[in-house]
Amino acid sequence: MNQRARLLAQGHRSLSDLPEAILELGSIFARSGHELALVGGPVRDAFLGRAIHDFDLTTSARPEQTMALLREWGDKVWDIGKDFGTIGAARSGLVVEVTTYRTETYDPASRKPEVDYGDTLEGDLTRRDFTVNAMAVRLPQLALVDPCGGLDDLIDGVLETPAPARQSFDDDPLRIMRACRFASQLNFDVSWEVMGAMTEMASRLEIVSAERVQAELERLMIGANPRKGLELMVETGVCDVVLPEFSALRETVDEHGRHKDVYEHTLTVLDRAIALETDEDGPVPGPDFVLRFAAIMHDVGKPATRRFEPGNAVSFHAHDIVGAKMTRKRMNHLRFPKTVTKDVSSLVALHLRFHGYGEQKWTDAAVRRYVTDAGPLLERLNRLTRADCTTRNRRKAAWLAAGMDDLEARIVELKKQEEIDAIRPDLDGAQIMELLGLKPGREVGQARNYLLALRMEEGPLGEEEATRRLLAWWEQRGEAQ
């Protein structure tokens, strides 16, 4: 069986398993004289043998007509984007989105498309982003419609645009970013025409809202091959617009060989971090955006901190702190959620904390600080640290791995002893205030910090000993004042 026949058979099997309610919806539209077709990603995924989770449909009906027909079919109907011709509906937990045939054009200075309704399915398909997403299946008869050769491009594993690439990207500049995302998600290449248009028009992404760019970047990072998508971004100049801190890593290439290629190192760290993700039952279920994005941002502070030292040496002092600030700034610009931004930038700031562990045995207090500072990011930090050890020196690599193994073993042992992940002073704020006769304020915080430092250095003291030490500290403090 050739590849085309295999994909057709695969698609037939997947489409034959469509819920009966979807076919019924097709019949309802047909009886009213309207066309309805499953379109885009679900059709592409069916031929790739993937499960269909989203039911994106397109129709000849106008939005008002669509809404009336969906009310006949579903339990609930809502307006997703009536101005764009999209209506949503649900029936017994099954959700569909139905969009009127349309065409879109962008004013060169606008972020919003102008939408015109179309009259034919073929016309609707030719305005879509890529040929592999420009296939449809008519309902209820399950007839394939492929005017742009999407099945052939699916076989070849290539991203091609239905219209000339420059026109397609001019109509919707976000498609430039989507090409990078699909390169990662599908592990596909782009055609030479598409690559050329991406390079020529990368700056058009500046008119696209940060939220839309962020959504594509996140999907790229959790795709099957994010390295491929990132390399495409860098090669075409898209990264200079969307994530310039990452593309700037190429500036640290040193023709004299005084340090490793930071750009290639970072891509290797990403690959290694992905390999360390766990299944759903593990501590870091993949794909994990936070770990992956921290992997590509962990060294972005190096170009700004590179210094050539005496003796042909190179330093990047404080690149972890500088990189964390740069990461936070970029993620804020791209409108990532605050919690995600905080987690990624914290990992960047902490990624060097392990270094030096094997050179000098850490005290229990140092291990406690490492765990406390990492907090809920501990498992990700350990994986980022392991991924960052990319040396080709086998002896050094083995030494670093052994050091990380030892640190993780000590963390486990300390957790057993004292529940290290929930370290608190031996006395709480209410007890401190009662013992010292204080009201809430700065002095209570100072007393608590003193007890926390004791706890970190010496482990659990117990309430009686903590009380004795606190009173002695308070007395000494009073005398000093």
Side-chain angles (χ1 to χ4, degrees), residues 249 252-254 257-266 269 298-299 302 306 314 316 355 387-392 396:
L249 293 176
T252 60
V253 173
D254 179 12
R258 285 169 290 188
H259 61 82
K260 60 189 171 186
D261 184 333
V262 181
Y263 173 66
E264 286 298 327
H265 161 74
T266 298
V269 171
H298 79 284
D299 274 349
K302 281 191 170 180
R306 182 171 66 166
V314 179
F316 302 96
H355 294 279
D388 195 25
C389 299
T390 61
T391 177
R392 294 181 181 179
K396 184 177 180 181

Side-chain angles (χ1 to χ4, degrees), residues 190-209:
V190 299
S191 71
W192 286 110
E193 181 190 355
V194 167
M195 179 172 281
M198 291 173 68
T199 304
E200 180 184 348
M201 303 179 68
S203 62
R204 284 277 284 150
L205 279 166
E206 292 173 353
I207 72 165
V208 180
S209 69

Side-chain angles (χ1 to χ4, degrees), residues 65-81:
Q65 297 168 321
T66 297
M67 188 168 282
L69 293 170
L70 286 173
R71 285 197 180 104
E72 181 181 337
W73 173 83
D75 305 322
K76 184 179 179 182
V77 177
W78 61 93
D79 180 357
I80 295 176

Side-chain angles (χ1 to χ4, degrees), residues 35-295:
E35 298 175 353
L36 185 71
L38 187 69
V39 68
V43 177
R44 177 199 70 218
D45 289 345
F47 286 105
L48 290 174
R50 300 178 177 182
I52 299 175
H53 299 292
D54 300 317
F55 295 96
D56 296 330
L57 304 165
T58 187
T59 182
S60 58
R62 293 303 189 252
E64 297 78 8
Q65 297 168 321
T66 297
M67 188 168 282
L69 293 170
L70 286 173
R71 285 197 180 104
E72 181 181 337
W73 173 83
D75 305 322
K76 184 179 179 182
V77 177
W78 61 93
D79 180 357
I80 295 176
K82 201 170 181 179
D83 291 341
F84 293 88
T86 303
I87 309 297
R91 172 174 164 176
S92 301
L94 181 67
V95 178
V96 300
E97 292 185 8
V98 184
T99 302
T100 300
Y101 297 158
R102 61 185 181 177
T103 59
E104 290 180 358
T105 56
Y106 276 69
D107 183 278
S110 173
R111 296 185 179 197
K112 295 183 179 179
E114 297 176 4
V115 179
D116 294 316
Y117 296 132
D119 297 316
T120 67
L121 175 57
E122 289 78 6
D124 179 89
L125 294 174
T126 57
R127 62 96 193 166
R128 291 180 178 263
D129 54 4
F130 300 103
T131 59
V132 296
N133 296 328
M135 298 183 288
V137 172
R138 293 187 188 276
L139 300 174
Q141 58 268 51
L142 297 181
L144 175 64
V145 181
D146 182 19
C148 305
L151 194 62
D152 289 333
D153 289 337
L154 206 62
I155 291 169
D156 294 337
V158 64
L159 294 172
E160 184 63 270
T161 52
R166 196 184 188 288
Q167 176 188 326
S168 181
F169 295 155
D170 200 42
D171 286 344
D172 185 353
L174 186 66
R175 290 172 177 172
I176 298 170
M177 192 66 199
R178 285 169 68 84
C180 302
R181 188 251 287 191
F182 283 121
S184 166
Q185 190 174 25
L186 302 175
N187 199 21
F188 279 14
D189 295 316
V190 299
S191 71
W192 286 110
E193 181 190 355
V194 167
M195 179 172 281
M198 291 173 68
T199 304
E200 180 184 348
M201 303 179 68
S203 62
R204 284 277 284 150
L205 279 166
E206 292 173 353
I207 72 165
V208 180
S209 69
E211 290 86 352
R212 296 182 75 202
V213 172
Q214 176 244 99
E216 294 299 328
L217 180 59
E218 183 171 356
R219 290 172 184 170
L220 183 158
M221 290 305 304
I222 62 174
N225 191 352
R227 178 180 185 135
K228 191 166 196 171
L230 289 167
E231 288 177 327
L232 181 59
M233 285 178 64
V234 170
E235 289 168 12
T236 56
V238 170
C239 205
D240 294 336
V241 178
V242 174
L243 200 62
E245 297 82 0
F246 180 74
S247 57
L249 293 176
R250 292 174 300 168
E251 298 172 8
T252 60
V253 173
D254 179 12
E255 67 274 17
H256 301 295
R258 285 169 290 188
H259 61 82
K260 60 189 171 186
D261 184 333
V262 181
Y263 173 66
E264 286 298 327
H265 161 74
T266 298
L267 291 172
T268 300
V269 171
L270 172 63
D271 290 338
R272 288 168 59 89
I274 292 171
L276 292 170
E277 292 173 342
T278 65
D279 59 21
E280 292 182 1
D281 298 325
V284 185
D288 187 272
F289 173 79
V290 169
L291 175 62
R292 295 182 181 197
F293 206 63

